[in-house]
Amino acid sequence: MKTYVCEGCGHIEFDDPPVSCLVCNSVLEAFEEDAAAINSPANSAELTEAEKKHIPTITVVKECGLIPGGVCTDVHVKVGEIEHVMQDDHYIRYIDYYLDRNFISRVWLSPGVCHPAAALHLNASSGTITAIENCNVHGNWMAEVSL
Ligand SMILES: [Fe+2]
């Protein structure tokens, strides 16, 4: 799996760079392949406290009901297993969501008023959800679940 990073906004695309950035509209040339774009834990069976504060946790709620008469699948993302701080000098800047590794949404977060969390209501009931969070100090961290 290759990862490409937009130099304009930090958005990450998988496998191939897009014609233009789906978050900030930067052109293809703004994307650089970066195999180290996403941090990964040294030992996923034994996470450090810092890793537990950054790796997103994803909760899927199948029967939401907010949008009646069809599929409404909620995907809740919280950073992380140990809640990350949201202080002016250290906070989660945004959470990018993907379905089957295709970008679907970015949720921007402000320190102070926002929790390190986001939710989307999806018109989809299958596939793989990826969440990538960006910490302003500690970079990008990722998690995936199947719907
Ligand atoms: Fe952090």
Side-chain angles (χ1 to χ4, degrees):
M1 173 193 70
K2 288 185 173 180
T3 50
Y4 293 84
V5 182
C6 175
E7 67 180 19
C9 70
H11 173 60
I12 291 171
E13 284 282 334
F14 296 100
D15 297 329
D16 293 300
V19 174
S20 62
C21 180
L22 295 167
V23 173
C24 75
N25 261 335
S26 289
V27 293
L28 171 69
E29 291 72 29
F31 277 83
E32 288 221 353
E33 190 185 347
D34 182 356
I38 304 168
N39 294 301
S40 47
N43 176 2
S44 54
E46 213 168 303
L47 297 178
T48 65
E49 185 173 326
E51 290 162 350
K52 288 179 181 176
K53 287 177 178 170
H54 288 93
I55 296 170
T57 61
I58 304 174
T59 305
V60 176
V61 182
K62 293 274 188 183
E63 303 292 332
C64 167
L66 182 68
I67 307 296
V71 173
C72 186
T73 305
D74 286 14
V75 182
H76 296 185
V77 174
K78 173 176 170 272
V79 184
E81 179 185 331
I82 300 173
E83 192 177 315
H84 192 280
V85 295
M86 291 296 280
Q87 300 165 348
D88 286 343
D89 60 347
H90 186 196
Y91 65 103
I92 305 305
R93 297 174 62 224
Y94 56 79
I95 298 170
D96 279 357
Y97 280 80
Y98 304 75
L99 180 61
D100 294 330
R101 295 278 173 95
N102 297 306
F103 174 70
I104 53 176
S105 184
R106 170 174 290 190
V107 178
W108 287 101
L109 302 171
S110 295
V113 68
C114 293
H115 288 303
L120 286 188
H121 299 265
L122 298 184
N123 186 7
S125 52
S126 63
T128 299
I129 291 288
T130 305
I132 298 178
E133 66 90 350
N134 176 267
C135 168
N136 72 322
V137 176
H138 300 107
N140 299 307
W141 299 79
M142 162 178 154
E144 281 188 322
V145 298
S146 294
L147 288 182

